[in-house]
Amino acid sequence: MKMNRIPKGCKNIGAGLAEAMERCRASFLSAFASYGYCPFWPSGLQLLETALDKLSPYLKRRIIPLSSPHGEPCCLRTDITLGVVAYCAAHHPPHERPLRISYVDRLFRIPSSPSYDIEGYQLGAELIGWEGRGADVEIISLLLEFLEKLGLRGYRLVLGDANVIATALEGVPTPISEELLSCLQDGNYSAYYATLKKEAIDGDRRKLLQALPNLKGAKNVIDEASVLFGSFEPLASLKSIADSLEELGYGSISFFDLGLVRELGYYSGPVFDIFLEGVGVPVGGGGRYDRLLAQYGVLGQAVGFALNLERLASALSRSDSDAVPKLLLWCGLSSPSDTVALARHLVSLDIGVEMSWHNDASVALDLARQRGLSWWCDASARIVKSTKDQTALSLDEWLLEVRR
């Protein structure tokens, strides 16, 4: 059989992971639509002239350039937030703001070791052009509510603030401050301290910068930092968000990292990462990007986030593999209409169903095992069997068991 190859770094996704990604997509768009977030479908190509002056040096190195059939210099979509902000600036006058946008789509970037992937999947939301307090808490709390509704376990939120780092680096020569920021972003603390050691920085600021990578942990780290800063002022936004999240019941999953730097480079206020149990890298994150908004001529404030859909769906597949009861429904001696009617009834009870029309019960049972389904049901006899040990129950008894 001839192999149907696809380009290196690209992938086709099917089976259980595709199902989990679709479940995440549908649940996310529905959850955010309830709070006024409108779906957005971004262009697959971005003009280089509109992307290069907005992207961070990190992302500029990862764009995949090409020309459109019209001869325009372009790149494959590298960042969705740029497309969202450009669209909102061009299509919505000031009186329509704030704007609430949600999206689920692909990204294309030159891979960064150890990954080989050039395409990925993101879901995200943006709140653009608002004024005043509360939007940071709105978008973070909606994100956490969405993760909770998905049934994920062991997720946690890590908060930082780009302004806190900027304040700590005040007066440090630009080349050195950029090098220190790069070290923080990469988590390369030995290089960070080596860079700090070779520069003549005054005593109090040096003490603050030496402490910065270690200012992480529970909420009390904000108080520790205020002593080093000599003021709560640079920490006020972060403390306000922390207090609100604690009041909403998210205190136990909230942690703080005052040296947190997000890779996109356009953040200008509170930022955050989301970690999932058993995943060593963030599944995504976000934060405030008021300055990027101003670059598009839009006044006000902006906050958003994006999550890696594939990582999120993989974690969901692991956490709920046994949570949603599914069975293979064999038609047996039942008529097609009776089998379909029974399948509809089971689906209405939140039972996942796949129907088998094969004449041989043993073939249908093997198919259930191949599908990884734990249960097989004879529609005519209304008997459910475990695919593992052949334990048999009547359909009514089984429903009582799985819905208990």
Side-chain angles (χ1 to χ4, degrees):
M1 183 173 67
K2 187 176 180 180
M3 179 73 74
N4 183 18
R5 298 178 64 242
I6 59 174
K8 184 178 181 181
C10 298
K11 65 179 73 173
N12 294 317
I13 298 177
L17 180 57
E19 287 180 9
M21 289 173 69
E22 174 56 25
R23 182 179 162 197
C24 290
R25 186 199 67 82
S27 177
F28 169 73
L29 292 176
S30 172
F32 276 72
S34 299
Y35 292 93
Y37 286 76
C38 299
F40 176 73
W41 296 100
S43 166
L45 296 184
Q46 294 172 314
L47 288 170
L48 277 179
E49 65 187 39
T50 63
L52 286 179
D53 64 338
K54 308 289 192 311
L55 295 175
S56 68
Y58 172 79
L59 281 187
K60 285 179 184 176
R61 294 192 294 271
R62 299 186 64 188
I63 63 175
I64 300 176
L66 46 75
S67 291
S68 76
H70 305 291
E72 297 167 295
C74 298
C75 61
L76 291 174
R77 182 175 53 236
T78 309
D79 181 272
I80 296 179
T81 299
L82 293 186
V84 172
V85 177
Y87 176 84
C88 290
H91 293 84
H92 293 279
H95 70 270
E96 293 183 6
R97 299 166 193 149
L99 301 166
R100 290 173 168 83
I101 305 290
S102 59
Y103 58 82
V104 182
D105 220 315
R106 293 189 190 215
L107 287 179
F108 301 89
R109 297 174 181 173
I110 292 173
S112 176
S113 180
S115 172
Y116 288 97
D117 296 340
I118 66 171
E119 62 178 345
Y121 304 81
Q122 266 192 0
L123 61 78
E126 315 288 342
L127 176 43
I128 294 172
W130 50 277
E131 299 286 353
R133 300 167 57 236
D136 304 277
V137 174
E138 173 185 322
I139 210 155
I140 293 172
S141 62
L142 292 184
L143 168 57
L144 298 177
E145 182 182 337
F146 159 64
L147 295 176
E148 194 171 319
K149 283 182 178 176
L150 274 183
L152 289 167
R153 297 183 291 272
Y155 58 86
R156 66 176 183 173
L157 169 74
V158 177
L159 288 148
D161 193 324
N163 279 330
V164 169
I165 297 177
T167 303
L169 289 170
E170 281 178 358
V172 177
T174 300
I176 301 303
S177 65
E178 289 179 349
E179 194 172 336
L180 292 172
L181 275 173
S182 176
C183 293
L184 288 174
Q185 179 179 317
D186 296 339
N188 189 345
Y189 298 133
S190 59
Y192 176 90
Y193 286 114
T195 302
L196 195 57
K197 190 175 181 180
K198 66 186 179 186
E199 281 304 307
I201 299 173
D202 69 66
D204 287 344
R205 189 157 305 278
R206 173 173 294 280
K207 185 178 178 182
L208 175 58
L209 290 172
Q210 283 178 328
L212 193 61
N214 297 312
L215 291 173
K216 56 181 69 175
K219 185 182 170 185
N220 59 6
V221 78
I222 297 177
D223 297 324
E224 294 175 25
S226 70
V227 176
L228 290 163
F229 279 96
S231 166
F232 257 115
E233 187 176 348
L235 302 153
S237 294
L238 198 56
K239 186 173 188 313
S240 174
I241 294 170
D243 290 343
S244 295
L245 291 177
E246 192 170 62
E247 289 165 9
L248 288 168
Y250 296 119
S252 62
I253 63 162
S254 299
F255 298 87
F256 300 85
D257 179 356
L258 301 194
L260 176 63
V261 177
R262 304 215 70 241
E263 64 181 24
L264 298 181
Y266 50 58
Y267 293 107
S268 53
V271 293
F272 56 91
D273 276 340
I274 295 290
F275 287 84
L276 301 179
E277 189 175 39
V279 182
V281 295
V283 71
R288 286 274 292 277
Y289 54 88
D290 302 351
R291 283 199 296 271
L292 176 65
L293 199 65
Q295 285 183 278
Y296 284 92
V298 179
L299 298 177
Q301 299 159 316
V303 61
F305 72 85
L307 302 185
N308 182 311
L309 177 58
E310 192 176 345
R311 284 183 196 159
L312 185 66
S314 297
L316 180 64
S317 296
R318 290 194 299 274
S319 68
D320 76 350
S321 59
D322 296 321
V324 180
K326 297 178 183 175
L327 56 72
L328 190 136
L329 185 62
W330 178 56
C331 60
L333 300 176
S334 176
S335 69
S337 58
D338 285 346
T339 304
V340 170
L342 178 57
R344 285 179 176 172
H345 173 64
L346 293 170
V347 168
S348 74
L349 300 176
D350 292 328
I351 307 293
V353 173
E354 180 175 346
M355 289 174 272
S356 170
W357 304 105
H358 203 283
N359 292 329
D360 191 329
S362 62
V363 173
L365 189 58
D366 285 342
L367 179 63
R369 294 194 184 99
Q370 290 173 22
R371 294 281 196 268
L373 301 177
S374 300
W375 303 97
W376 172 94
C377 177
D378 181 339
S380 55
R382 297 201 168 222
I383 296 294
V384 177
K385 287 185 178 179
S386 164
T387 58
K388 296 175 182 174
D389 59 13
Q390 300 291 303
T391 303
L393 294 170
S394 73
L395 180 58
D396 290 340
E397 290 173 329
W398 181 79
L399 286 172
L400 285 174
E401 186 71 26
V402 298
R403 302 183 70 203
R404 185 172 293 164

